[in-house]
Amino acid sequence: MVMRRINNRLATQLNKKVEIWHTVASTARNELGQKPVEDQLLDTVYAGIIPQTGSLLTGRTADTDLSRTTHKVIMRYRDDLTPDMWIMAEGVRYDILYIMDPYLNHERLEIFCEVRI
């Protein structure tokens, strides 16, 4: 009964369709004989994106302001994600910082990310 309630709450949080990307070595060789790396779509899933922290970095050249923003992405559990991957949602790239399986029950993942500008 408790597990069913948790699953229902999880389903209501997964309100955005996101893409999971990673880099892979190309099968073709370039003119130097190397196999270049290329971006490849791993999967498209539903997830929830929750803003966590934000800080304004000032004092740069020409008084430009940069923002460092972190988010938590919640999705159903899967075992093929690694920190060198990234998530794309509505044209925004979220670089994965670390991946957490709360309570180690393999129900969902909390993926802490940083927005890449």
Side-chain angles (χ1 to χ4, degrees):
M1 188 71 157
V2 173
M3 184 62 102
R4 184 178 197 148
R5 246 182 281 145
I6 291 171
N7 284 335
N8 288 341
R9 280 185 287 177
L10 179 61
T12 60
Q13 292 178 350
L14 309 181
N15 58 1
K16 299 228 184 292
K17 200 170 197 178
V18 302
E19 298 174 338
I20 303 169
W21 287 81
H22 64 131
T23 55
V24 294
S26 175
T27 55
R29 293 190 183 273
N30 62 14
E31 58 275 357
L32 298 175
Q34 302 168 328
K35 291 185 176 182
V37 295
E38 53 190 32
D39 298 341
Q40 184 179 48
L41 178 65
L42 177 68
D43 201 0
T44 302
V45 298
Y46 282 94
I49 301 174
I50 304 166
Q52 296 294 298
T53 62
S55 62
L56 195 59
L57 308 173
T58 58
R60 305 285 183 196
T61 308
D63 290 331
T64 56
D65 291 333
L66 295 176
S67 174
R68 180 177 181 190
T69 310
T70 59
H71 289 72
K72 178 169 58 172
V73 177
I74 300 170
M75 67 176 61
R76 296 191 190 284
Y77 180 82
R78 53 189 303 150
D79 61 1
D80 59 347
L81 292 182
T82 59
D84 62 335
M85 296 179 179
W86 65 94
I87 296 169
M88 292 293 296
E90 298 176 352
V92 178
R93 178 175 167 159
Y94 298 88
D95 288 339
I96 297 175
L97 299 174
Y98 59 93
I99 303 164
M100 190 169 76
D101 178 9
Y103 310 110
L104 302 174
N105 62 2
H106 302 323
E107 176 188 309
R108 67 181 178 153
L109 292 176
E110 292 184 359
I111 305 163
F112 291 86
C113 303
E114 184 175 69
V115 174
R116 178 184 248 185
I117 299 175

